[in-house]
Amino acid sequence: MADNLEIVYQSRNRLAHHEPALYNRFTETIAAIKYIAQHLEAPTPGDHTPLYRLIADDIVSVEASAATLHSELDAYRQP
């Protein structure tokens, strides 16, 4: 749990300083948030916890937006 909280903390610091959290950092951050939401005070970890159910739609939306943004950014990277 501590490792996942550290990932979220580091991403939060980057965002607070107006730095991007894209690609691998974004993927790690979302994975950490999911882990925390699935395990926090849950006798059996999973997608059924109250916190996970609360943020599930937002996670799907953010992941879709990130996929779109990453593909647009990749278009600028290609020669």
Side-chain angles (χ1 to χ4, degrees), residues 11-75:
S11 292
R12 174 251 174 248
N13 284 345
R14 284 185 72 108
L15 294 170
H17 291 101
H18 306 284
E19 298 173 23
L22 300 170
Y23 297 104
N24 289 342
R25 183 169 301 272
F26 173 81
T27 303
E28 290 174 353
T29 304
I30 289 295
I33 291 169
K34 286 180 181 179
Y35 180 89
I36 293 165
Q38 292 171 336
H39 289 79
L40 191 64
E41 294 191 22
T44 306
D47 296 350
H48 61 279
T49 64
L51 178 57
Y52 191 86
R53 287 186 292 144
L54 179 68
I55 65 173
D57 292 339
D58 294 324
I59 288 174
V60 170
S61 175
V62 166
E63 287 177 324
S65 295
T68 301
L69 176 61
H70 291 157
S71 67
E72 289 175 5
L73 291 173
D74 289 340

